[in-house]
Amino acid sequence: MEFDPESLKFDSNGLIPCIAQDVDTREVLMMAWMNAASVARTLGSGKVTYWSRSRQAFWVKGESSGHAQTLAELRFDCDRDCLLALVRQVGPACHTNRRSCFYTAVRGGAEVEIMEPVAD
Amino acid sequence: MEFDPESLKFDSNGLIPCIAQDVDTREVLMMAWMNAASVARTLGSGKVTYWSRSRQAFWVKGESSGHAQTLAELRFDCDRDCLLALVRQVGPACHTNRRSCFYTAVRGGAEVEIMEPVAD
């Protein structure tokens, strides 16, 4: 069946969450949002392209930082309301320069940072 | 620093997305939603407990299906607006009886099912 980005289920703002996972290490890198047009751009260009809610603009990951995400495969879930992008990540995915945005764990009731920023 | 579920950033419905990842295989299993109380219950009980938006009730994963998720570790992202639960999953995570909800890939412009339901 041909895939149509409009067939996904978007929230009231026209957005769908997209989880980015490193295709090789399987590390979950980040979660950000896409609209139908950014899904189409991601598939068309192979460059993972989110929708920035703060800037209300396309956000080609790494365009300014150089920390690009190349799409290996796009998947979606049974409810068609969440995306999983398997990516090849250049450098850190997080704006704090950590490999993943999920660098804080809850251990013994306390917040623990489990990941150091990558050296430039 | 002590962790307070209320310190997370919830959306206008009081919810935060939670990605469930198999702690051993690193497979992304599903994404569902939590409110502050379900985060607290998950940490307190070790049973991953979402908030069902359709039923407007706590959803202890696997309580009716038997396909429970035991929490290995809870993490959150740099913006404190997304959770990552590392879990031990009994049986399939998806209500379609597939191991993961992300069983459909976009390949060559078409929807392709890449995962079979698990035999009971």
Side-chain angles (χ1 to χ4, degrees):
Chain A
M1 192 167 109
E2 197 178 338
F3 173 71
D4 177 3
E6 299 285 354
S7 71
L8 298 169
K9 286 191 194 136
F10 299 92
D11 69 10
S12 57
N13 296 311
L15 300 176
I16 185 170
C18 179
I19 302 158
Q21 182 180 30
D22 187 301
V23 67
D24 296 316
T25 66
R26 301 190 133 194
E27 187 172 19
V28 174
L29 300 172
M30 57 182 283
M31 192 281 275
W33 298 81
M34 291 190 178
N35 58 16
S38 56
V39 173
R41 284 186 181 217
T42 297
L43 288 168
S45 68
K47 296 176 184 176
V48 179
T49 303
Y50 301 101
W51 180 257
S52 167
R53 295 178 298 172
S54 55
R55 290 188 293 109
Q56 289 287 302
F58 291 110
W59 166 26
V60 183
K61 175 72 181 157
E63 201 170 42
S64 56
S65 66
H67 301 149
Q69 287 178 351
T70 305
L71 185 71
E73 183 161 278
L74 191 67
R75 298 179 186 168
F76 54 86
D77 75 351
C78 50
D79 293 331
R80 306 181 78 91
D81 65 0
C82 188
L83 296 167
L84 176 65
L86 301 177
V87 305
R88 294 195 172 81
Q89 172 70 51
V90 175
C94 184
H95 75 285
T96 67
N97 240 31
R98 290 173 176 87
R99 180 74 184 160
S100 162
C101 293
F102 295 93
Y103 58 82
T104 312
V106 181
R107 293 182 179 171
E111 297 187 12
V112 182
E113 281 193 20
I114 58 172
M115 220 173 287
E116 293 290 320
V118 177
D120 269 325
Chain B
M1 192 168 110
E2 200 179 335
F3 173 71
D4 178 3
E6 298 285 354
S7 70
L8 297 169
K9 285 192 195 134
F10 300 93
D11 69 10
S12 57
N13 297 311
L15 300 176
I16 186 170
C18 180
I19 303 159
Q21 182 180 29
D22 187 300
V23 66
D24 295 317
T25 66
R26 301 192 132 194
E27 188 173 19
V28 174
L29 300 172
M30 57 182 283
M31 193 281 275
W33 297 81
M34 291 190 178
N35 57 17
S38 57
V39 173
R41 285 186 180 217
T42 297
L43 289 168
S45 67
K47 296 175 183 175
V48 179
T49 304
Y50 301 100
W51 180 256
S52 166
R53 296 178 298 173
S54 55
R55 292 188 292 109
Q56 289 287 303
F58 292 110
W59 166 26
V60 183
K61 175 70 183 158
E63 201 169 42
S64 56
S65 66
H67 301 149
Q69 287 177 352
T70 305
L71 186 70
E73 182 161 277
L74 192 67
R75 297 179 187 169
F76 54 86
D77 75 350
C78 50
D79 293 330
R80 305 180 79 90
D81 66 359
C82 188
L83 296 167
L84 176 65
L86 301 177
V87 305
R88 293 194 172 82
Q89 171 71 51
V90 176
C94 185
H95 74 286
T96 67
N97 240 31
R98 291 173 175 87
R99 179 74 184 162
S100 162
C101 293
F102 295 94
Y103 58 81
T104 313
V106 181
R107 292 181 179 170
E111 297 186 12
V112 183
E113 281 194 19
I114 58 172
M115 219 173 289
E116 293 291 319
V118 177
D120 270 325

